[in-house]
Amino acid sequence: MFNKDRWREILEVLTSNVGRTILTAFGVCWGIFILIVLLAAGKGFENGIRKDFGDIATNTMFMWTRSTTKAYEGLPKGRSFEFKVNDVQAIWDNVPNLKFISPRNQLGGFRGGGNVTRGIHVGAYNIYGDYPEIINQDPMTVTSGRFLNHNDIKEKRKVAIIGQGVKSELYEKDEEVLGSYIKIQGVNFMVIGTYKKNNNDGDGEEAQKEIFVPFTSFSQAFNRGEDVGWMAITAHDGSSISQLKESIVDEMRKRHKVHPEDNRAIGYFDLYEQFNRVESLFFGLKAIAYLVGIMVLLSGIIGVSNIMLIVVKERTKEIGIRRALGEQPMSIKKQILMESIFLTIISGMTGIIFGALVIYGINSLLDSVGPVDMFVNPSVSVGVVSGALMILMISGLLAGFIPAQSAIRVRPIEALRTE
């Protein structure tokens, strides 16, 4: 491998017909280029879709009530009902492998008019009555003060945590937020913290217009009693919420006298199931990228192999002379293999470099035009590049194997007769 004469000979062979060498190398270069770009594009789509999920716990389901569609135990169809606070304990008692259950109530939003006031400032925001565990299911960064705790729940404290969007609209730029009061539908709440949340809209303040208050305070202030608007339920990492959801829904049907076959009375959204579908899509995109890239690369490798066969044919007399002078067949075989591997690796590295430049250009363009929701930071990992280099080495060996075998089968006498 470190023989200078051998490398000089390899370079002479490859540069003796530059046009043929470039055209041969182009097939391998194009195959690796396509593979790198397709994998980067797939990663960009994957990053964009994952960003839509944000930091929310994906092994989670959301459950709410709707009207019944079947009569049951003397109760008519079309009946409305609400979850109750004691339903939470019933789920804990009867369904295993659950990590968090967060009963939630909500009011307001952009359709709710000006439901929050502070002095002369008025805003319409989503107000959530929550337990402290919700921060584990819908993660957020507390930027000042603190989040809810169980003492707030137990003592029904009228405290609130507001988002950065709420802060910017209700407060002056340098105004102190902590310890101040906001009025939610006529009820005063003291601000004890601010938060910032990542989601599919990035970190913009428009995405932070939510207010969190203790569940018990919410129920008392807005006359919800023991009612629960909906629940966020998360399973332990070793369990799937998709496998537990039927048990959870069945338990709620029993407690609220809903027909066992009434599939409309209790609504739910299985985030884990949706996430798995997206994961399957990612796998499919990656498989297609590898298939297309490798097939294009294979065509390039076949081209290298054919050209090496032609080179061996052109050098038949030279090989015969070297054999007549005593050179071992294995030495000639190594020579042909090294020529093939060298040509393949140089071609592939060129493809990797061009692919990296294209990816860099796309990322620069995305940075200049702003974020695109469904396509974020296309890239390939070091592992993928290392794998591509390994594929190139193996491909070079395969491309050179048949020509090398052909070369060592050349008999010196017959080779010397070749014109």
Side-chain angles (χ1 to χ4, degrees):
M1 179 175 292
F2 301 104
N3 189 310
K4 289 183 179 180
D5 293 334
R6 187 184 297 275
W7 283 107
R8 187 180 297 111
E9 185 176 347
I10 289 174
L11 292 175
E12 288 176 358
V13 170
L14 295 179
T15 56
S16 62
N17 193 327
V18 177
R20 184 175 67 186
T21 300
I22 292 175
L23 290 175
T24 304
F26 179 77
V28 177
C29 175
W30 184 248
I32 286 292
F33 174 81
I34 291 295
L35 177 62
I36 294 294
V37 170
L38 286 178
L39 287 175
K43 188 65 175 178
F45 282 114
E46 179 180 344
N47 291 338
I49 295 173
R50 286 185 185 277
K51 192 174 181 181
D52 282 343
F53 283 94
D55 296 325
I56 194 168
T58 52
N59 198 12
T60 298
M61 67 174 285
F62 306 98
M63 183 173 65
W64 59 93
T65 61
R66 298 187 289 203
S67 299
T68 60
T69 59
K70 294 178 183 292
Y72 186 64
E73 292 188 358
L75 298 172
K77 71 175 184 179
R79 173 175 59 93
S80 297
F81 65 100
E82 298 286 346
F83 291 138
K84 301 296 180 181
V85 174
N86 55 13
D87 288 335
V88 176
Q89 189 58 49
I91 295 173
W92 280 120
D93 292 341
N94 294 283
V95 182
N97 300 320
L98 295 179
K99 190 174 184 180
F100 302 113
I101 304 177
S102 295
R104 309 190 74 184
N105 277 320
Q106 178 184 355
L107 59 81
F110 67 95
R111 293 179 180 174
N115 58 356
V116 179
T117 60
R118 180 176 181 275
I120 62 172
H121 300 287
V122 180
Y125 311 108
N126 282 315
I127 317 298
Y128 295 100
D130 272 312
Y131 277 77
E133 287 76 14
I134 194 64
I135 198 171
N136 298 304
Q137 297 168 287
D138 187 10
M140 62 194 79
T141 302
V142 177
T143 54
S144 65
R146 64 174 178 85
F147 195 67
L148 303 174
N149 60 40
H150 282 280
N151 285 331
D152 298 328
I153 299 293
K154 183 178 179 181
E155 298 176 12
K156 300 181 182 179
R157 295 172 180 168
K158 289 183 174 61
V159 294
I161 294 88
I162 64 174
Q164 294 289 346
V166 179
K167 176 184 174 182
S168 66
E169 292 184 359
L170 297 185
Y171 292 83
E172 299 299 330
K173 185 176 181 181
D174 298 322
E175 191 174 1
E176 180 59 42
V177 176
L178 301 183
S180 64
Y181 285 84
I182 57 175
K183 191 171 287 188
I184 303 174
Q185 290 194 343
V187 180
N188 282 315
F189 284 80
M190 186 176 72
V191 178
I192 60 169
T194 61
Y195 74 88
K196 190 176 186 179
K197 189 187 296 185
N198 293 329
N199 60 14
N200 59 346
D201 292 323
D203 294 332
E205 289 184 352
E206 291 300 318
Q208 319 300 326
K209 295 182 179 180
E210 296 174 346
I211 300 174
F212 296 88
V213 303
F215 182 89
T216 51
S217 307
F218 184 104
S219 299
Q220 183 183 62
F222 306 117
N223 299 316
R224 297 299 179 91
E226 295 294 309
D227 290 348
V228 173
W230 50 292
M231 300 186 198
I233 305 172
T234 303
H236 281 290
D237 293 341
S239 303
S240 166
I241 195 66
S242 299
Q243 296 174 349
L244 300 174
K245 67 185 177 185
E246 287 301 324
S247 299
I248 296 169
V249 173
D250 287 344
E251 180 62 27
M252 292 299 98
R253 288 194 185 112
K254 292 175 185 176
R255 290 181 61 82
H256 293 279
K257 297 182 180 180
V258 175
H259 194 287
E261 296 179 1
D262 190 344
N263 295 322
R264 296 275 303 169
I266 297 176
Y268 60 82
F269 178 76
D270 186 347
L271 185 61
Y272 186 71
E273 182 179 355
Q274 299 301 317
F275 186 75
N276 280 341
R277 289 178 182 175
V278 173
E279 287 286 301
S280 299
L281 173 63
F282 296 156
F283 179 80
L285 288 174
K286 194 172 292 185
I288 291 172
Y290 273 111
L291 178 64
V292 173
I294 289 175
M295 292 302 291
V296 175
L297 178 62
L298 182 62
S299 66
I301 297 304
I302 292 172
V304 171
S305 183
N306 287 334
I307 293 300
M308 292 306 298
L309 282 171
I310 294 173
V311 169
V312 168
K313 184 70 175 175
E314 292 175 348
R315 297 166 64 191
T316 299
K317 188 170 184 178
E318 173 198 331
I319 293 171
I321 293 173
R322 291 167 65 171
R323 291 287 306 279
L325 293 174
E327 185 168 359
Q328 296 297 316
M330 184 55 67
S331 176
I332 296 174
K333 185 175 182 179
K334 285 181 181 179
Q335 178 75 24
I336 302 300
L337 287 174
M338 286 179 66
E339 290 175 8
S340 175
I341 293 172
F342 180 74
L343 177 59
T344 305
I345 289 179
I346 292 298
S347 307
M349 287 298 296
T350 304
I352 290 174
I353 291 170
F354 276 108
L357 290 174
V358 168
I359 295 169
Y360 177 79
I362 293 173
N363 278 300
S364 298
L365 180 63
L366 291 175
D367 290 339
S368 63
V369 301
V372 179
D373 287 346
M374 293 297 292
F375 196 71
V376 178
N377 188 29
S379 59
V380 291
S381 65
V382 175
V384 169
V385 175
S386 300
L389 291 174
M390 186 63 65
I391 290 173
L392 288 173
M393 293 183 66
I394 296 173
S395 299
L397 281 172
L398 294 176
F401 183 76
I402 295 176
Q405 288 295 106
S406 175
I408 63 175
R409 282 198 294 265
V410 173
R411 294 183 179 181
I413 298 300
E414 295 177 357
L416 291 172
R417 293 173 181 170
T418 303
E419 293 294 336

